[in-house]
Amino acid sequence: MHEYTSTARVWGLTCPGFPEEVSRARRWTRDILRGSPLAEDAELIVSELSANAILHTASGRDSGSFHLVLAVSAQVALSVTDGGGAGTAPKAEHQDQNAEHGRGLGMVSAIAHRVVVHESDSGHTVTAELFTGTHAGRHPC
């Protein structure tokens, strides 16, 4: 294989910070991953991360936006970058089963094989990785 050739495919989408854009992000993810065994999990993860960006950061205020990146190879990596302004980095919390809020990133962590939160001056990027042929929590070597 040539050193500049990759089998990974990468897509990006920037969405205005409106609630109806969450369904657009889901549809975009579903269309790209059509036929993949990871499509449903990826769609659920993108939905949760996009909604969090709109609800909890500057992405959902005034002229805010959020950005999605979807990388597909033997695995799928989904990243959502928010507009910042939350004050704290997103984190998975283990809430009581009766809690009405705060369970989304915990759910994403349960579905994905790995979740990474990267903080920058302009916001946060949450990346969830899914691997084919393995179950969550059983990382390949």
Side-chain angles (χ1 to χ4, degrees):
M1 176 182 278
H2 189 272
E3 69 178 304
Y4 298 114
T5 303
S6 172
T7 59
R9 302 280 185 194
V10 180
W11 290 263
L13 177 69
T14 299
C15 297
F18 303 123
E20 57 270 20
E21 292 298 315
V22 174
S23 63
R24 178 179 173 209
R26 279 195 313 262
R27 194 170 46 252
W28 178 79
T29 302
R30 184 176 54 242
D31 288 348
I32 291 170
L33 294 175
R34 182 169 284 127
S36 169
L38 301 174
E40 288 183 10
D41 287 345
E43 185 179 351
L44 179 62
I45 289 169
V46 163
S47 180
E48 182 60 36
L49 297 181
S50 299
N52 283 352
I54 292 170
L55 291 172
H56 302 297
T57 74
S59 292
R61 291 181 232 137
D62 298 324
S63 60
S65 64
F66 61 98
H67 185 74
L68 296 111
V69 173
L70 177 57
V72 181
S73 61
Q75 66 186 37
V76 171
L78 308 157
S79 296
V80 175
T81 302
D82 64 41
T88 60
K91 64 180 179 181
E93 297 179 6
H94 301 285
Q95 299 288 348
D96 178 88
Q97 69 181 18
N98 296 323
E100 294 182 20
H101 301 286
R103 296 172 17 176
L105 269 182
M107 176 188 63
V108 169
S109 295
I111 295 170
H113 292 86
R114 185 168 77 145
V115 176
V116 177
V117 177
H118 176 63
E119 188 171 2
S120 72
D121 292 337
S122 60
H124 303 95
T125 299
V126 180
T127 301
E129 297 176 353
L130 299 166
F131 304 116
T132 56
T134 61
H135 299 287
R138 296 172 67 195
H139 303 281
C141 297

